[in-house]
Amino acid sequence: MVELLLVVGVLISMFVAYNIGGSTTGPAFGPAVGSDAISKTAAAALMGVFFFLGAWTIGRNVVTKLGSELVTNPGIFTLESSIAVLFFIGIALFVGNVFGVPASTSMTAVGAIAGLALAGGVLDFAVMGEIVIWWGVSPIIGFWVALIIGRYFYARLNRLVAIDRSSGPLLVVDRSGAIPVPRLHETTNRKELGGTVTVIAIGCLMAFSSGTSNIANAVAPLVGSGELAMNPAIILGGVAVAIGAFTIARRTLDTMGSDITELPLTAAIVVASISSTLVVFLSVLGIPASFVIIATVSIIGLGWGRATRTVTLPDAVRDDKTPPVTVDALAADEAGEPVPPIGEEDADRIPQGGELFDPATTARVVLMQNVVPAIATVGAYLTFRYVPVFGF
């Protein structure tokens, strides 16, 4: 019977990881696929490799935090309770998908485990408080970094990384010598190569950061129960993520259905870089981070910074003392249009903070980001508290 429950637990764990692979490949490699810098198959392969690297190196810190440190008695993770926790994670994420909102897998997993721990009276409130504090601080950091970049550096970055694809392939293989050597195609310029490498590298960084944080959401309950060792759990989770990347992720890569990949390429790179760096930093501390929330708030910061960018220093010291200006952030920079004076912008093109975010959509995302983990927390607590089979 125990062996059957373990098989069921492993299958549910891999199903959660499978969905993680399907939902995170699009945001990670959507810009690269959308700009024809990489194929869907190559994106899936890179996703699998870099997710596993992140999980194997830093991700075990987060697995330990959720599987043992968040509870004062890891014995509460029986096979039955671990399967139930994974079930609540899956159901809560399904609710988010129904409403079209990319739910935070990390917050949902922490909520489900916290519900279990509360029901059993073994929740470590100090560790939970540490996690919640970082959940509040990290989006604020992302917001201000994105705002500063948007206000002062975005235009220069856009000129550096913008990709104007040539008609031919990026690289060709020179077989004239004894050893085949890849070389730039005659139609490829170095700026195109640099932009392509940059957007692929950012995708790899996002995949790595996803592995550092999200692997715990799929395997921490089973590792905490002691029924599955850390290394086999990470390998199984990594395999399931790769399967998801090669299968259901192809649809997300087609539609680019996330807040990150709907952005212009330069903005997507900025937001992804900020979010991934913060997620990796938190994972080193063992904190399960919400990439989606950090990215959403960073989008708002970038949009706000671009929409409120003021006149540059050379303009400020002109003799005619013209008023300072604000820019229709991304549109003016990318289209090469002149900067309009304050009060003369096209109102339709600057909807409350620039073209990077819509207030109604943002409110819906923020609301669901809190509702989905709450569903997991309350559902887990009520089940473990009042269903006799769990014995709490």
Side-chain angles (χ1 to χ4, degrees):
M1 182 64 179
V2 173
E3 290 77 6
L4 178 60
L5 281 176
L6 179 59
V7 170
V8 172
V10 169
L11 290 177
I12 295 178
S13 173
M14 293 186 70
F15 179 73
V16 173
Y18 172 82
N19 282 281
I20 290 173
S23 63
T24 58
T25 303
F29 289 98
V33 173
S35 62
D36 294 326
I38 194 174
S39 68
K40 294 176 187 176
T41 301
L46 289 174
M47 181 69 195
V49 169
F50 281 91
F51 183 96
F52 179 78
L53 289 176
W56 189 263
T57 54
I58 302 175
R60 58 186 67 237
N61 296 340
V62 186
V63 175
T64 300
K65 180 78 75 174
L66 294 188
S68 60
E69 296 179 11
L70 186 57
V71 296
T72 57
N73 179 16
I76 198 170
F77 286 114
T78 63
L79 268 178
E80 294 85 354
S81 64
S82 298
I83 292 172
V85 164
L86 291 169
F87 172 78
F88 281 113
I89 295 173
I91 289 296
L93 293 178
F94 174 76
V95 171
N97 290 332
V98 168
F99 284 91
V101 175
S104 168
T105 312
S106 295
M107 292 181 68
T108 303
V110 171
I113 294 173
L116 165 65
L118 278 172
V122 296
L123 178 64
D124 191 321
F125 286 95
V127 174
M128 189 67 198
E130 179 188 9
I131 293 173
V132 171
I133 289 172
W134 276 112
W135 280 354
V137 170
S138 55
I140 295 174
I141 296 174
F143 173 86
W144 282 105
V145 172
L147 186 147
I148 292 171
I149 292 176
R151 180 172 293 182
Y152 300 110
F153 303 105
Y154 183 88
R156 183 178 301 174
L157 288 172
N158 187 60
R159 288 190 293 270
L160 288 174
V161 305
I163 301 177
D164 297 319
R165 290 307 307 270
S166 57
S167 57
L170 188 68
L171 299 172
V172 294
V173 178
D174 183 1
R175 304 180 184 278
S176 59
I179 301 176
V181 178
R183 301 187 186 280
L184 291 179
H185 188 266
E186 59 182 9
T187 61
T188 303
N189 58 62
R190 293 190 178 277
K191 181 179 178 181
E192 178 186 358
L193 178 63
T196 301
V197 171
T198 298
V199 74
I200 295 175
I202 293 300
C204 294
L205 174 61
M206 290 181 68
F208 180 87
S209 70
S210 178
T212 64
S213 183
N214 283 329
I215 188 63
N217 306 323
V219 305
L222 289 180
V223 174
S225 71
E227 297 292 341
L228 193 62
M230 178 78 74
N231 289 347
I234 292 177
I235 292 173
L236 290 172
V239 169
V241 166
I243 294 173
F246 276 102
T247 53
I248 56 175
R250 300 182 73 87
R251 299 183 64 182
T252 62
L253 286 169
D254 275 331
T255 59
M256 304 264 180
S258 76
D259 290 328
I260 299 300
T261 54
E262 288 175 352
L263 297 175
L265 181 60
T266 306
I269 290 175
V270 170
V271 172
S273 300
I274 295 171
S275 305
S276 299
T277 302
L278 283 171
V279 168
V280 171
F281 169 73
L282 293 178
S283 297
V284 171
L285 301 179
I287 304 297
S290 172
F291 181 92
V292 173
I293 290 182
I294 296 174
T296 301
V297 176
S298 297
I299 290 170
I300 297 172
L302 184 62
W304 196 342
R306 294 302 303 135
T308 58
R309 180 163 64 89
T310 57
V311 66
T312 59
L313 182 60
D315 291 329
V317 296
R318 289 186 303 178
D319 293 335
D320 58 4
K321 304 299 181 184
T322 54
V325 295
T326 188
V327 226
D328 174 2
L330 299 175
D333 280 336
E334 296 186 355
E337 298 175 0
V339 175
I342 285 179
E344 297 181 14
E345 304 92 348
D346 184 350
D348 293 335
R349 298 179 61 186
I350 315 179
Q352 302 183 38
E355 296 181 328
L356 282 177
F357 70 98
D358 174 72
T361 300
T362 301
R364 180 168 63 91
V365 169
V366 172
L367 175 64
M368 289 303 298
Q369 287 296 330
N370 290 278
V371 169
V372 170
I375 292 174
T377 305
V378 174
Y381 173 77
L382 293 177
T383 300
F384 292 120
R385 180 69 177 83
Y386 295 107
V387 176
V389 69
F390 294 106
F392 296 151

